[in-house]
């Protein structure tokens, strides 16, 4: 038993990872009254969720009184301290993590060193995610797999916290209209599905617009009709692939053409050069 806690449990990730998101350790504890941490600095991110009780968290010259349902965030390199209440000391769960994507993910849900607390979360729901993070390190002889599983549950935890912090999440500019957002979605769809058979009717149905209206607005915002834009994506990607060792057949298939001869004809129409000639020119 930790002398500063009436209850204390912690699990540590046995696998050192440099992934975009990796849990270091996770725990659950009930500190004694006035138990204090800091002033200190960590070299990792640390999230605490208050399951019950109260306390004070301080970071970046701000003081946050925290109670049941509040979650506070410690950032690498930021001086912090926190102390349990004298009469109703908090019970909290926590998770420490690192990774290239960590700061970006917290920023996306509106959490920064200047706004480091989210309120109004369901302790029960978050406790479920914390429990799964900890149990990830207790069930197999393959630490790499445990690391992956814990990172997955951490993502779900961050997602759940984001749901309670929508007022802090940066919204798209108010000047962006519904049709602009929908055209952006259409472009994204074409950029991801260009290898497949694409139906403009189906795309229009997904976005909730009539085919004619979607085509008109798409051309207004991009300068291309949807199928022209799709063709452009395919040809530009084909140019990239022709600089590799892939065969013409393989390139054609990779950009959505089942017939290599038809692909060659379309590529020549787009570039003025046959694929084989284009390849030789790039190598010369």
């Amino acid at each position: 038993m930790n002398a500063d806690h009436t209850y204390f449990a912690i699990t540590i990730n046995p696998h050192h990872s440099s992934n975009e998101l990796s849990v270091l350790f996770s725990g659950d504890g009930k500190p004694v009254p006035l138990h204090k941490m800091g002033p200190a600095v960590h070299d990792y991110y640390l999230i605490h969720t208050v399951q019950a009780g109260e306390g004070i968290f301080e970071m970046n010259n701000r003081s946050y009184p925290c109670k049941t349902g509040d979650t506070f965030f410690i950032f690498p390199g930021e001086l912090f301290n926190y102390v349990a209440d004298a009469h109703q000391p908090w019970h909290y769960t926590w998770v420490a993590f690192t990774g290239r994507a960590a700061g970006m993910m917290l920023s996306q849900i509106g959490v920064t060193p200047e706004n480091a607390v989210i309120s109004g979360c369901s302790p029960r729901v978050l406790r479920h995610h914390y429990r799964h993070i900890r149990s990830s390190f207790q069930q197999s002889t393959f630490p790499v797999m445990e690391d992956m599983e814990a990172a997955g549950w951490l993502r779900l935890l961050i997602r759940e916290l984001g749901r309670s912090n929508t007022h802090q999440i940066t919204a798209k500019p108010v000047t962006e209209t519904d049709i602009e957002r929908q055209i952006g979605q259409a472009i994204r769809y074409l950029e991801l599905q260009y290898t497949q058979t694409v139906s403009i009717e189906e795309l229009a149905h997904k976005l909730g617009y009539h085919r004619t209206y979607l085509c008109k607005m798409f051309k207004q915002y991009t300068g291309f009709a949807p199928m022209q834009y799709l063709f452009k994506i395919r040809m530009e990607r084909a140019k990239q692939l022709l600089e590799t060792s892939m065969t013409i057949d393989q390139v054609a298939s990779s950009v959505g053409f089942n017939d290599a001869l038809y692909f060659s004809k379309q590529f020549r129409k787009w570039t003025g050069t046959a694929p084989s000639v284009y390849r030789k020119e790039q190598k010369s």
Side-chain angles (χ1 to χ4, degrees), residues 7-28:
Y7 171 76
F8 183 87
I10 190 169
T11 56
I12 296 175
N13 185 350
H15 177 71
H16 177 72
S17 169
S18 58
N19 294 335
E20 64 174 16
L21 197 67
S22 181
V23 173
L24 299 177
F25 56 86
S26 183
D28 186 3

Side-chain angles (χ1 to χ4, degrees), residues 229-247:
Y229 194 88
L230 174 63
F231 187 73
K232 174 178 178 290
I233 292 171
R234 287 171 168 169
M235 293 299 104
E236 293 301 323
R237 179 57 177 156
K239 286 182 179 181
Q240 296 173 348
L241 296 179
L242 285 168
E243 296 181 21
T244 71
S245 60
M246 294 175 66
T247 66

Side-chain angles (χ1 to χ4, degrees), residues 105-253:
M105 287 184 180
L106 295 185
S107 176
Q108 287 175 336
I109 66 167
V111 175
T112 66
E114 294 73 34
N115 293 286
V117 170
I118 291 178
S119 300
C121 303
S122 166
R124 181 185 60 81
V125 172
L126 297 186
R127 188 163 56 245
H128 170 79
H129 290 75
Y130 281 107
R131 187 179 299 118
H132 277 285
I133 290 173
R134 294 195 300 276
S135 65
S136 298
F137 305 125
Q138 302 170 352
Q139 57 181 304
S140 83
T141 56
F142 300 99
V144 173
M145 301 299 182
E146 294 179 355
D147 178 63
M148 291 179 183
E149 180 178 339
W153 281 106
L154 175 58
R155 286 174 180 271
L156 293 175
L157 173 69
I158 293 173
R159 185 279 309 269
E160 194 63 40
L161 289 165
R163 286 181 171 178
S164 300
N165 203 44
T166 53
H167 65 287
Q168 288 288 351
I169 298 176
T170 302
K172 290 189 175 182
V174 294
T175 55
E176 185 179 50
T177 63
D178 287 341
I179 187 61
E180 287 174 326
R181 283 191 291 272
Q182 297 289 54
I183 295 302
Q185 289 185 34
I187 290 172
R188 182 66 172 162
Y189 180 87
L190 295 177
E191 289 175 340
L192 294 175
Q193 298 297 316
Y194 68 89
T195 63
Q196 307 299 318
T197 299
V198 175
S199 164
I200 299 305
E201 286 79 5
E202 182 180 350
L203 177 59
H205 178 72
K206 287 180 181 294
L207 298 177
Y209 290 105
H210 189 276
R211 180 185 188 280
T212 303
Y213 180 72
L214 175 65
C215 290
K216 176 182 176 181
M217 299 308 295
F218 193 98
K219 187 166 186 177
Q220 178 178 321
Y221 283 95
T222 68
F224 295 90
M227 293 308 292
Q228 291 174 328
Y229 194 88
L230 174 63
F231 187 73
K232 174 178 178 290
I233 292 171
R234 287 171 168 169
M235 293 299 104
E236 293 301 323
R237 179 57 177 156
K239 286 182 179 181
Q240 296 173 348
L241 296 179
L242 285 168
E243 296 181 21
T244 71
S245 60
M246 294 175 66
T247 66
I248 302 299
D249 282 357
Q250 291 169 337
V251 171
S253 178

Side-chain angles (χ1 to χ4, degrees), residues 52-95:
E54 301 176 3
I56 301 290
F57 168 61
E58 295 180 346
M59 191 179 73
N60 205 23
N61 297 317
R62 287 194 63 180
S63 180
Y64 305 86
C66 295
K67 61 185 184 304
T68 303
D70 291 343
T71 297
F72 60 91
F73 299 76
I74 296 170
F75 283 72
E78 294 286 347
L79 188 67
F80 72 90
N81 66 79
Y82 54 89
V83 59
D85 186 73
H87 304 291
Q88 300 182 67
W90 48 20
H91 165 205
Y92 48 46
T93 47
W94 66 87
V95 59

